Structure formats: C-alpha cells, structure tokens
Amino acid sequence: MSEIITSFFERMGDRGHEPLLERQRGTIRFDVLGGRSVDQWLVAVDRGDISVSHTNADADCVVRTDRSTLEGMVSGNVNMVAAFLRGQLELEGDLELLVLFRRMFPGPPDARGPAQPTAGGVAS
C-alpha cells in the first residue's frame, strides 16, 4: 500500500473528530485497485467522530479507484469530482455523504486564498 495513502487515513483516524462533519453519519469504503489486489479503507463518520479501519465491510458509499488517482486525491493534486468525470474512479451508494466527505481531502498545493483544514490537521 502507498505510504501517502496510509498516512492520510491514519492521520484521519488519529484525529478522531472532524467539526466539518458534525451533522453526518455513514460509512465510506475506498477500494484501491492495484493489479490483482484490492486494498480497502473503511471510514466511519458518526456526527463528526471518525474511525478508520483497513478492512472490507459493507458501506453506505463505495469509491473504487487506482492507487495513483487516490494518491493524487490525498496529496491535493487530483480533484475527486474531476477524476470521476474523467472516469478515473467509480462511485456507488450515498453520494451526498461523499460530497460532504470530500472536504477532508486537501486542496491543490499551490492554491491561494484562505487555508482549509484537512484530515491531518494541517492547513493547505
């Protein structure tokens, strides 16, 4: 598994609570395709409380993408919506939950304007 992806999800789990998601409940599973293997991350949100596991379980929303696309998303170099429109990821289930969750992904590294909080607690 990619170090940048692992670090992103571990920081999110370590943070424990995200004020931007205080009104949300649900689970999102990220299926990371890599050849014949599929790595999975399950993110559970319960009114802002976040838990992350590296497991395969049913989820309200499922995101399927390759490793390089997810690496780009967690580094701020790939916009999730743009990746979807280009066919680089597949979405299934509760898309409203995912639209709200996308706030956890950092913005582009060269973005200007007010800093935005990310799952790692570092402003982008």
Side-chain angles (χ1 to χ4, degrees):
M1 172 56 59
S2 166
E3 201 172 303
I4 190 169
I5 294 171
T6 300
S7 176
F8 173 80
F9 285 112
E10 286 177 351
R11 283 190 324 260
M12 183 180 300
D14 289 345
R15 186 169 184 161
H17 185 79
E18 177 50 60
L20 292 173
L21 299 174
E22 284 185 343
R23 298 177 187 213
Q24 304 310 311
R25 290 183 125 161
T27 54
I28 302 171
R29 190 182 74 222
F30 292 85
D31 292 349
V32 187
L33 312 173
R36 294 179 182 234
S37 67
V38 177
D39 290 312
Q40 294 165 316
W41 290 94
L42 183 69
V43 179
V45 179
D46 185 5
R47 298 187 191 267
D49 293 334
I50 297 175
S51 63
V52 178
S53 61
H54 193 59
T55 186
N56 178 16
D58 289 339
D60 299 311
C61 180
V62 177
V63 177
R64 287 185 192 87
T65 189
D66 61 52
R67 185 171 327 210
S68 65
T69 300
L70 188 56
E71 284 174 349
M73 289 168 52
V74 301
S75 67
N77 292 312
V78 172
N79 178 283
M80 180 181 66
V81 174
F84 173 73
L85 293 173
R86 288 190 298 264
Q88 293 176 306
L89 59 88
E90 297 175 20
L91 306 173
E92 174 183 309
D94 184 354
L95 300 183
E96 181 180 354
L97 177 63
L98 184 63
V99 167
L100 296 168
F101 181 82
R102 75 184 174 119
R103 300 179 202 179
M104 301 293 83
F105 291 105
D110 60 349
R112 295 180 188 219
Q116 298 296 316
T118 65
V122 178
S124 57

